[in-house]
Structure formats: C-alpha cells, structure tokens
Amino acid sequence: MGARMCWCRDCQRIASGSATVNVLFPEEAVTYVGDIVTFAMIADSGNRVERGFCPNCGAQMYSRTIEPAGLPMRVRAGTLDNPELMPPQAIIWTTSAPSWAQLDPALPHHPKGPESAPLNR
C-alpha cells in the first residue's frame, strides 16, 4: 500500500534514535512464521497500537493500530525477506525529528502522523 519513514518519538526509541522505515500492508496480507511477542500501548497519534517483536532476537517486526480499526499494518522494512520491496514515499512526524536528522528533500514531509500523509495506492 505504500512506505513511509516515521520520526515520531516512539519510532525514534525503537530505531535507537533514527526514524523507522515502514512498509504498509492490509493486515490480511501479512504472514509471520515463528513466535511473536506483542504489547499494546498508546502511540504519539493517540491511537491504541500493538507492536510485535521476535522473542529470540528482540527485533521489532510490526506495528498495527487496534483502535481505530482499519488502518494498514506497518511492517518494519528491515525485517522483510526483500527490504527493497518499496522505498519510502513520505516522511511523517517531522516535527519530532531531531535537528540533526537527515530528511530526504525529494520526499514529501508531513509534520504529524499518517492522516496528513495520504497513501499512494
């Protein structure tokens, strides 16, 4: 459905200070083999989200919105069998990016979350 870089504070913590790169899929299109540990939280957007981790190595695999329902699943690009599947098409939560962040000027920048960054379908 698309791909974005996210600079929200939650993603900066996940990515050790950088942005996450997320490829967007309908939930029914995503399949994992093996165990995944999950936890739920309230994201910077105010949405209730679930994050999935590999219990063996700790890698974060995905994030999905529980409430409100119907939003795409965000799969961390680095965990895909083919991380070249789709490059980022936009950068979101740029207002949260640190001053030293390298924001690609060729991509659209959105100050807040996904509602301000429509998906290219």
Side-chain angles (χ1 to χ4, degrees), residues 10-11 14 22 27 30 32 35-54 59-76:
D10 289 334
C11 283
I14 292 163
N22 305 291
E27 278 191 54
V30 178
Y32 284 101
D35 294 332
I36 293 183
V37 175
T38 64
F39 80 95
M41 63 177 288
I42 303 299
D44 284 349
S45 64
N47 295 341
R48 185 170 167 78
V49 299
E50 174 188 273
R51 302 202 190 281
F53 294 86
C54 171
Q60 186 176 121
M61 308 299 287
Y62 70 85
S63 177
R64 71 180 189 90
T65 302
I66 299 168
E67 293 173 16
L71 296 175
M73 189 168 182
R74 292 150 321 268
V75 177
R76 306 303 179 224

Side-chain angles (χ1 to χ4, degrees), residues 5-8 11-12 15-22 91-92 100 103:
M5 296 180 74
C6 181
W7 278 98
C8 77
C11 283
Q12 289 179 53
S16 298
S18 192
T20 58
V21 178
N22 305 291
I91 305 171
I92 61 174
W100 50 260
L103 304 178

